[in-house]
Amino acid sequence: MLVHKVLSRVSTNVSRTSFTSASKWPQHFSNHSHSLIQQSPNKEPLSSVTSITDILKSLYLDKSIIDGLKRLYRQKLKPLEVTYRFNDFVSPLMTDSDFDAKPMVMLLGQYSTGKTTFIKHVLKSSYPGAHIGPEPTTDKFIVVMSGSDEKTVPGNTVAVQADLPFSGLKTFGTAFLSKFVCAQMPHPLLEQITFVDTPGVLSGEKQRTQRAYDFTGVTSWFAAKCDLILLLFDPHKLDISDEFSNVISSLRGHDDKIRLVLNKADQVDTQQLMRVYGALMWSLGKVLKTPEVMRVYIGSFNDMPVNDAATGPLGKELFEKEQDDLLSDLKDIPKAACDRRINEFVKRARAAKIHAYIISHLKNEMPFMIGKYEAQHRLIDNLAAEFGKVQREFHLPPADFPNVDDFRERLSGYNFDNFAKFKPRMIQAVDDMLAYDIPNLLKNFRNSHD
């Protein structure tokens, strides 16, 4: 039954790819799509059976591994998360739609840096609800995904749809869901990738406090779900505001997903562009706090021709190569989607283990009868020291622990007496899953299809 379903899906995708006009999306993607089922005209055509069989094997392999992860989550990881309230402190419980979701790409940046225009440029068409202008026009989180018709679906409706991976956003309340929209449209690229367009990050304490929801928390939630995060910058807006700094800091742990895009680069000449690039790296160095240099794509990602008067022929050639590199990065996302799911699953399991160690330690430090109120407040005040005790007792990496201030804020609403005690069997089950079950899952399925 599964093979028939996957074969049907492959046939549909092949049919769509064959008859979709290349003008509907960037040539880079179009060439890749047709290469799945075609060879160059001067060669013999590939056997349709061989072509479909190769795609079928790949899809069946990914589907089998994802189904295995679902089973391991329900049997071993979810019980640990429920027992130690991981869903209350860190991330909502996962559903099948979280495992089955298409790869996502999120765009972040200050207002008028070209986020919406970038999506339109890649799709070669606008999408429902898109607004572009010099002022902060996008005031909502907009998920752009595939659909049979062009329409927008309100956030409250999206959050309760079981087949979509956005049910966890309900924790941010109605104030956020009223600023959340799902834009659906038929498009071959959206069959493979979902885009997340975000409101422009503003500057100044006054503007930040006007948001009725936790903007940084929402971006952090999406960052955990996304396969790629694009940070867009404008040559004329290199200052990193307080809110933007907090947003970038919230991406901690997802460094491998982040790509920097210096957009609208044809608005300055070559000499100015060198200075802008240096200033951008200097500003980011104070926020990212990492010795590694992140990949920066330089270009003008819109449908307008490059401004040759400012950039010259060398600049135009540079922008074209940079655009090809970025589109190549996007093209590779669907191929690496299964590996990304495994990677995020392992990260979540390790985070859940550390959370269980912390919660059970706080429970163990509480007195049996007298002085519970004072003891709880002492533990919260000295939380960094308690983290150190857990880290030394179980030999855990300090960098894997949550942010002390954020965790302290969440703890203030709980009674430590109601926390669960340390349960070695649950921890051992997750250790076995990481050490044996997941490697065996990958080995068994991949070897059977080699």
Short mmCIF file of all heavy atoms in Angstrom, two decimals, residues 267-299:
data_model
loop_
_atom_site.label_atom_id
_atom_site.label_comp_id
_atom_site.label_asym_id
_atom_site.label_seq_id
_atom_site.Cartn_x
_atom_site.Cartn_y
_atom_site.Cartn_z
N GLN A 267 23.16 49.19 -5.43
CA GLN A 267 22.87 50.59 -5.14
C GLN A 267 24.11 51.37 -4.71
O GLN A 267 24.05 52.57 -4.51
CB GLN A 267 21.80 50.69 -4.04
CG GLN A 267 20.44 50.14 -4.45
CD GLN A 267 19.40 50.30 -3.35
OE1 GLN A 267 19.69 50.84 -2.28
NE2 GLN A 267 18.19 49.84 -3.61
N VAL A 268 25.25 50.67 -4.56
CA VAL A 268 26.51 51.32 -4.21
C VAL A 268 27.57 50.88 -5.21
O VAL A 268 27.47 49.80 -5.81
CB VAL A 268 26.95 50.97 -2.77
CG1 VAL A 268 25.96 51.53 -1.76
CG2 VAL A 268 27.09 49.46 -2.59
N ASP A 269 28.62 51.68 -5.38
CA ASP A 269 29.68 51.31 -6.31
C ASP A 269 30.63 50.31 -5.66
O ASP A 269 30.51 49.98 -4.47
CB ASP A 269 30.42 52.54 -6.83
CG ASP A 269 31.09 53.34 -5.71
OD1 ASP A 269 31.56 52.72 -4.74
OD2 ASP A 269 31.13 54.59 -5.81
N THR A 270 31.61 49.84 -6.41
CA THR A 270 32.50 48.77 -5.95
C THR A 270 33.28 49.17 -4.70
O THR A 270 33.41 48.39 -3.75
CB THR A 270 33.48 48.38 -7.07
OG1 THR A 270 32.74 48.08 -8.26
CG2 THR A 270 34.29 47.16 -6.67
N GLN A 271 33.80 50.38 -4.67
CA GLN A 271 34.57 50.83 -3.51
C GLN A 271 33.70 50.90 -2.26
O GLN A 271 34.09 50.44 -1.18
CB GLN A 271 35.19 52.19 -3.80
CG GLN A 271 36.08 52.70 -2.67
CD GLN A 271 36.66 54.07 -2.97
OE1 GLN A 271 36.16 54.78 -3.83
NE2 GLN A 271 37.73 54.43 -2.28
N GLN A 272 32.51 51.45 -2.41
CA GLN A 272 31.58 51.53 -1.26
C GLN A 272 31.16 50.14 -0.81
O GLN A 272 30.98 49.90 0.39
CB GLN A 272 30.36 52.36 -1.65
CG GLN A 272 30.66 53.85 -1.83
CD GLN A 272 29.45 54.60 -2.36
OE1 GLN A 272 28.65 54.06 -3.13
NE2 GLN A 272 29.31 55.85 -1.96
N LEU A 273 31.00 49.22 -1.78
CA LEU A 273 30.57 47.86 -1.44
C LEU A 273 31.60 47.16 -0.55
O LEU A 273 31.24 46.44 0.39
CB LEU A 273 30.34 47.05 -2.72
CG LEU A 273 29.82 45.62 -2.54
CD1 LEU A 273 28.48 45.63 -1.80
CD2 LEU A 273 29.67 44.93 -3.89
N MET A 274 32.89 47.38 -0.83
CA MET A 274 33.94 46.81 0.01
C MET A 274 33.83 47.33 1.44
O MET A 274 33.97 46.58 2.42
CB MET A 274 35.31 47.15 -0.57
CG MET A 274 35.62 46.46 -1.90
SD MET A 274 37.17 47.03 -2.61
CE MET A 274 38.33 46.61 -1.32
N ARG A 275 33.58 48.63 1.58
CA ARG A 275 33.46 49.21 2.92
C ARG A 275 32.20 48.72 3.63
O ARG A 275 32.21 48.48 4.84
CB ARG A 275 33.45 50.74 2.81
CG ARG A 275 34.78 51.32 2.32
CD ARG A 275 34.68 52.81 2.06
NE ARG A 275 35.98 53.36 1.65
CZ ARG A 275 36.14 54.58 1.17
NH1 ARG A 275 35.08 55.39 1.03
NH2 ARG A 275 37.34 55.00 0.81
N VAL A 276 31.12 48.59 2.87
CA VAL A 276 29.86 48.10 3.44
C VAL A 276 30.03 46.67 3.95
O VAL A 276 29.58 46.33 5.05
CB VAL A 276 28.73 48.17 2.39
CG1 VAL A 276 27.54 47.33 2.82
CG2 VAL A 276 28.30 49.61 2.17
N TYR A 277 30.70 45.83 3.17
CA TYR A 277 30.93 44.44 3.57
C TYR A 277 31.74 44.38 4.87
O TYR A 277 31.41 43.62 5.79
CB TYR A 277 31.66 43.70 2.45
CG TYR A 277 31.97 42.25 2.79
CD1 TYR A 277 31.01 41.26 2.64
CD2 TYR A 277 33.24 41.89 3.27
CE1 TYR A 277 31.30 39.94 2.95
CE2 TYR A 277 33.53 40.57 3.59
CZ TYR A 277 32.56 39.61 3.42
OH TYR A 277 32.84 38.30 3.74
N GLY A 278 32.79 45.19 4.95
CA GLY A 278 33.59 45.22 6.17
C GLY A 278 32.81 45.69 7.37
O GLY A 278 32.92 45.12 8.47
N ALA A 279 32.00 46.72 7.17
CA ALA A 279 31.18 47.24 8.28
C ALA A 279 30.15 46.21 8.73
O ALA A 279 29.87 46.07 9.94
CB ALA A 279 30.48 48.52 7.84
N LEU A 280 29.58 45.46 7.78
CA LEU A 280 28.59 44.44 8.12
C LEU A 280 29.22 43.34 8.97
O LEU A 280 28.65 42.93 10.00
CB LEU A 280 27.99 43.85 6.84
CG LEU A 280 27.03 42.65 7.03
CD1 LEU A 280 25.82 43.07 7.85
CD2 LEU A 280 26.60 42.09 5.68
N MET A 281 30.38 42.86 8.56
CA MET A 281 31.04 41.80 9.32
C MET A 281 31.45 42.27 10.71
O MET A 281 31.39 41.52 11.68
CB MET A 281 32.27 41.29 8.55
CG MET A 281 31.94 40.70 7.18
SD MET A 281 30.62 39.46 7.22
CE MET A 281 31.40 38.17 8.16
N TRP A 282 31.87 43.55 10.82
CA TRP A 282 32.23 44.10 12.13
C TRP A 282 31.01 44.15 13.04
O TRP A 282 31.08 43.78 14.22
CB TRP A 282 32.82 45.49 11.94
CG TRP A 282 33.21 46.15 13.23
CD1 TRP A 282 34.35 45.93 13.95
CD2 TRP A 282 32.45 47.13 13.97
NE1 TRP A 282 34.35 46.72 15.09
CE2 TRP A 282 33.20 47.46 15.12
CE3 TRP A 282 31.22 47.75 13.75
CZ2 TRP A 282 32.75 48.38 16.05
CZ3 TRP A 282 30.78 48.67 14.69
CH2 TRP A 282 31.53 48.98 15.82
N SER A 283 29.87 44.61 12.50
CA SER A 283 28.65 44.70 13.31
C SER A 283 28.17 43.32 13.75
O SER A 283 27.76 43.12 14.90
CB SER A 283 27.54 45.39 12.50
OG SER A 283 27.90 46.72 12.18
N LEU A 284 28.22 42.35 12.83
CA LEU A 284 27.75 41.00 13.16
C LEU A 284 28.68 40.31 14.14
O LEU A 284 28.24 39.48 14.95
CB LEU A 284 27.62 40.17 11.89
CG LEU A 284 26.45 40.51 10.98
CD1 LEU A 284 26.55 39.76 9.66
CD2 LEU A 284 25.13 40.15 11.67
N GLY A 285 29.97 40.64 14.08
CA GLY A 285 30.92 40.01 14.99
C GLY A 285 30.60 40.27 16.44
O GLY A 285 30.87 39.43 17.31
N LYS A 286 30.00 41.41 16.74
CA LYS A 286 29.65 41.75 18.12
C LYS A 286 28.39 41.02 18.58
O LYS A 286 28.16 40.89 19.78
CB LYS A 286 29.44 43.27 18.25
CG LYS A 286 30.68 44.09 17.95
CD LYS A 286 30.49 45.54 18.32
CE LYS A 286 29.39 46.20 17.49
NZ LYS A 286 29.20 47.63 17.80
N VAL A 287 27.58 40.56 17.62
CA VAL A 287 26.32 39.91 17.97
C VAL A 287 26.43 38.39 17.93
O VAL A 287 25.98 37.69 18.84
CB VAL A 287 25.19 40.36 17.02
CG1 VAL A 287 23.88 39.67 17.37
CG2 VAL A 287 25.03 41.88 17.07
N LEU A 288 27.06 37.87 16.88
CA LEU A 288 27.13 36.42 16.71
C LEU A 288 28.08 35.75 17.68
O LEU A 288 27.89 34.62 18.09
CB LEU A 288 27.54 36.10 15.26
CG LEU A 288 26.53 36.50 14.19
CD1 LEU A 288 27.12 36.29 12.80
CD2 LEU A 288 25.25 35.70 14.34
N LYS A 289 29.16 36.46 18.04
CA LYS A 289 30.12 35.96 19.03
C LYS A 289 30.63 34.57 18.68
O LYS A 289 30.57 33.62 19.48
CB LYS A 289 29.49 35.95 20.43
CG LYS A 289 29.09 37.34 20.92
CD LYS A 289 28.41 37.29 22.27
CE LYS A 289 27.97 38.68 22.70
NZ LYS A 289 27.25 38.68 23.98
N THR A 290 31.09 34.43 17.44
CA THR A 290 31.64 33.16 16.99
C THR A 290 32.88 33.44 16.15
O THR A 290 32.90 34.41 15.38
CB THR A 290 30.61 32.37 16.17
OG1 THR A 290 31.23 31.20 15.63
CG2 THR A 290 30.05 33.19 15.03
N PRO A 291 33.93 32.62 16.28
CA PRO A 291 35.15 32.87 15.50
C PRO A 291 34.99 32.53 14.02
O PRO A 291 35.75 33.03 13.18
CB PRO A 291 36.19 31.95 16.16
CG PRO A 291 35.38 30.86 16.80
CD PRO A 291 34.10 31.50 17.22
N GLU A 292 34.01 31.67 13.70
CA GLU A 292 33.81 31.29 12.31
C GLU A 292 33.12 32.41 11.53
O GLU A 292 32.26 33.11 12.06
CB GLU A 292 32.98 30.01 12.19
CG GLU A 292 33.64 28.77 12.75
CD GLU A 292 33.46 28.63 14.24
OE1 GLU A 292 32.68 29.42 14.82
OE2 GLU A 292 34.12 27.76 14.85
N VAL A 293 33.50 32.57 10.29
CA VAL A 293 32.88 33.57 9.42
C VAL A 293 31.72 32.92 8.67
O VAL A 293 31.90 31.90 8.00
CB VAL A 293 33.90 34.15 8.41
CG1 VAL A 293 33.23 35.15 7.49
CG2 VAL A 293 35.05 34.80 9.16
N MET A 294 30.54 33.50 8.77
CA MET A 294 29.37 32.95 8.07
C MET A 294 29.39 33.32 6.60
O MET A 294 29.97 34.33 6.20
CB MET A 294 28.08 33.46 8.72
CG MET A 294 27.82 32.87 10.08
SD MET A 294 26.16 33.24 10.67
CE MET A 294 26.12 32.27 12.16
N ARG A 295 28.75 32.50 5.81
CA ARG A 295 28.69 32.74 4.36
C ARG A 295 27.81 33.94 4.08
O ARG A 295 26.69 34.05 4.59
CB ARG A 295 28.11 31.50 3.67
CG ARG A 295 27.91 31.64 2.16
CD ARG A 295 29.25 31.66 1.45
NE ARG A 295 29.12 31.40 0.03
CZ ARG A 295 28.96 32.34 -0.91
NH1 ARG A 295 28.88 33.61 -0.55
NH2 ARG A 295 28.89 32.03 -2.18
N VAL A 296 28.33 34.88 3.29
CA VAL A 296 27.58 36.07 2.92
C VAL A 296 27.36 36.07 1.41
O VAL A 296 28.32 35.95 0.64
CB VAL A 296 28.32 37.36 3.32
CG1 VAL A 296 27.50 38.59 2.94
CG2 VAL A 296 28.62 37.38 4.81
N TYR A 297 26.10 36.16 1.00
CA TYR A 297 25.77 36.26 -0.42
C TYR A 297 25.55 37.74 -0.74
O TYR A 297 24.77 38.42 -0.06
CB TYR A 297 24.51 35.46 -0.75
CG TYR A 297 24.66 33.98 -0.51
CD1 TYR A 297 24.21 33.39 0.66
CD2 TYR A 297 25.25 33.16 -1.47
CE1 TYR A 297 24.34 32.02 0.88
CE2 TYR A 297 25.39 31.80 -1.26
CZ TYR A 297 24.94 31.24 -0.08
OH TYR A 297 25.09 29.89 0.13
N ILE A 298 26.22 38.22 -1.76
CA ILE A 298 26.12 39.62 -2.15
C ILE A 298 25.41 39.71 -3.49
O ILE A 298 25.76 39.01 -4.44
CB ILE A 298 27.52 40.26 -2.26
CG1 ILE A 298 28.28 40.12 -0.94
CG2 ILE A 298 27.42 41.72 -2.65
CD1 ILE A 298 29.72 40.56 -1.01
N GLY A 299 24.39 40.56 -3.58
CA GLY A 299 23.68 40.70 -4.84
C GLY A 299 22.49 41.61 -4.72
O GLY A 299 22.30 42.30 -3.71
#
